[in-house]
Amino acid sequence: MNPGGSKGSIIITGVGSGIGYETARCLLAQNYRIIGIDRQRGRFDELPAGDHLFLEADVRDFESQKQAIEREAAHHPIVGLVTCAGILVRRPYLELDEATFDQHLDVNLKGPFFACQAVLPAMRKQGNGSIVLISSSIARSGSVAGAHYAATKGGILGLARTLALETARDGVRVNVVSPGVTDTPMPRGHASDAEVLAKGAKIPLGRIGKPQDIAETIAFLISDDSSYITGQDIRVTGGAGLF
Ligand code: NAD
């Protein structure tokens, strides 16, 4: 570990797979220290050697998540938070039970909500920080059998705007990245490989997103290159759903 040589620590939830893993790879290459949180290690060990640490935690356990973040913040400046942990179990609205709704609410909205609460005091004290929350194009477009997911992802948009206003004078920026269909395990939970890739034909740029597309946008929002951008929702969708 060499925190002195890095640009500072970034906490990434959902680091074991898909967009979270790719974001860790991208930010590690840009000389940030990575603190990855996930309920499973997943692909974390595929990361290149570097300054990274894995913390096994369920983001629904808000107190453990808070304690893990505060422990880290006591030793290293935390300059960024990226909340990628998320779930999508498709269920038609009239068949949706309360337990499934609560599960989505806890992982997709309350997890990020309390992760921000855990990280902000340290960012406020140091006078800088960048938070990137992950929503989805579905927050705006809606999606059949995804009312519960859309509701949580819409909540992220309101949370980010409010936090952006509340923290701007502390030097903290809060933005959202909203991916369209992206090539990770998530869309394969309810569609075959061929069906997922075929969605690219309807996208203006002719393909579904790659995790790298999303990771590079997140890395831009974390970096000082975006120092005058806060409260925004960057839709990385290949041109799909323009409205
Ligand atoms: P993924 O399934 O590949 O990865 C999600 C990660 O979150 C997994 O490693 C999983 O273990 C972790 N996770 C889930 N529940 C958790 C919990 N309770 N505690 C800790 N970790 C937990 O999914 P992805 O495609 O990389 O999705 C990342 C984010 O992007 C999600 O918020 C998702 O809603 C959003 N998103 C994805 C797509 C897409 O098409 N892939 C599109 C729009 C938005």
Side-chain angles (χ1 to χ4, degrees):
M1 306 270 184
N2 179 19
S6 86
K7 291 182 189 166
S9 298
I10 311 284
I11 293 173
I12 303 175
T13 71
V15 76
S17 177
I19 293 167
Y21 167 77
E22 201 54 46
T23 300
R25 223 168 62 88
C26 186
L27 289 172
L28 199 57
Q30 295 181 19
N31 205 27
Y32 289 96
R33 176 171 186 265
I34 303 300
I35 302 161
I37 296 179
D38 205 304
R39 62 182 170 187
Q40 46 108 23
R41 214 171 165 91
R43 298 182 64 196
F44 189 80
D45 295 331
E46 293 174 31
L47 284 174
D51 206 351
H52 50 62
L53 172 73
F54 179 79
L55 302 174
E56 188 176 321
D58 189 316
V59 298
R60 290 174 296 176
D61 183 349
F62 311 124
E63 195 49 40
S64 306
Q65 185 182 234
K66 181 166 180 259
Q67 283 171 11
I69 291 173
E70 285 176 351
R71 246 191 335 267
E72 280 306 309
H75 296 105
H76 307 279
I78 294 179
V79 297
L81 167 70
V82 186
T83 59
C84 294
I87 54 165
L88 167 57
V89 179
R90 288 204 177 267
R91 212 45 70 77
Y93 175 71
L94 286 178
E95 292 168 26
L96 189 73
D97 56 278
E98 191 176 351
T100 308
F101 178 78
D102 285 347
Q103 196 189 11
H104 284 74
L105 195 62
D106 284 352
V107 178
N108 295 355
L109 184 57
K110 283 174 82 176
F113 189 100
F114 287 107
C116 292
Q117 212 176 61
V119 90
L120 271 169
M123 287 183 172
R124 175 171 275 174
K125 207 162 146 201
Q126 73 204 14
N128 75 298
S130 173
I131 294 176
V132 183
L133 304 178
I134 308 304
S135 179
S136 166
S137 56
I138 288 175
R140 290 169 196 273
S141 66
S143 181
V144 171
H148 47 307
Y149 179 80
T152 63
K153 293 299 186 178
I156 288 288
L157 300 180
L159 169 64
R161 289 186 188 123
T162 302
L163 286 187
L165 294 174
E166 282 200 24
T167 63
R169 293 299 171 102
D170 297 318
V172 178
R173 297 181 298 109
V174 184
N175 291 287
V176 175
V177 171
S178 288
V181 188
T182 305
D183 196 359
T184 73
M186 181 176 275
R188 290 175 168 80
H190 46 86
S192 70
D193 205 41
E195 284 166 341
V196 171
L197 297 174
K199 289 178 196 283
K202 290 193 180 146
I203 291 173
L205 285 178
R207 62 168 175 83
I208 66 167
K210 292 185 269 191
Q212 296 92 305
D213 298 321
I214 316 301
E216 282 163 12
T217 309
I218 294 169
F220 167 69
L221 289 171
I222 287 290
S223 79
D224 288 343
D225 290 344
S226 60
S227 60
Y228 197 55
I229 300 178
T230 195
Q232 302 302 311
D233 171 29
I234 312 292
R235 303 183 220 171
V236 187
T237 63
L242 297 179
F243 53 93

